[in-house]
Amino acid sequence: QELLRVMRTIDDRIVHELNTTIPTASFVGKIDASQTCKELYQSLMDAHTSRERIIKNCIAQTSNVVKTLREEREKAQDDVALLKQLRKEQTKV
């Protein structure tokens, strides 16, 4: 979850960068807007690829925890704390 927050911050920075680097009419000749946009696009795509990988990793880890908790739950069906923890992890997924 912390990594996702960081990734959202990266997106915000990219949007800010886009807003500040695209030239106004008076600066069109001084800045290569095409190259700047390509670089920003690549940064954005890298950030989204990384975010997708992190989300999938988080889902996989949480799914493994759910699987383990289910197995423990079958062994100890009367454990209320275990059931609460299982429900919490299932909600997270």
Side-chain angles (χ1 to χ4, degrees), residues 2 5 17-19 27-28 37 45 49 52 67 71 73 80 89:
E2 177 65 21
R5 185 187 63 74
E17 184 79 15
L18 183 61
N19 288 335
F27 289 101
V28 169
C37 285
M45 294 310 297
T49 300
E52 183 178 359
K67 181 181 175 185
E71 291 170 357
R73 175 79 174 132
V80 177
E89 293 298 320

Side-chain angles (χ1 to χ4, degrees), residues 12-92:
D12 291 343
R13 288 183 182 155
I14 290 172
V15 169
H16 178 266
E17 184 79 15
L18 183 61
N19 288 335
T20 58
T21 58
I22 298 300
T24 59
S26 61
F27 289 101
V28 169
K30 298 177 184 176
I31 297 174
D32 184 3
S34 176
Q35 182 62 31
T36 302
C37 285
K38 285 179 184 177
E39 290 170 5
L40 290 172
Y41 176 78
Q42 188 59 47
S43 295
L44 184 60
M45 294 310 297
D46 291 345
H48 281 282
T49 300
S50 180
R51 180 183 295 167
E52 183 178 359
R53 182 181 45 79
I54 291 167
I55 289 171
K56 287 180 179 180
N57 186 28
C58 182
I59 290 170
Q61 287 180 1
T62 306
S63 294
N64 286 337
V65 171
V66 167
K67 181 181 175 185
T68 302
L69 289 172
R70 280 186 180 159
E71 291 170 357
E72 290 177 22
R73 175 79 174 132
E74 288 182 15
K75 296 175 186 174
Q77 293 184 358
D78 296 334
D79 191 345
V80 177
L82 185 61
L83 178 60
K84 285 183 181 181
Q85 186 178 4
L86 173 60
R87 296 291 181 234
K88 180 180 174 186
E89 293 298 320
Q90 286 175 326
T91 300
K92 194 186 302 183

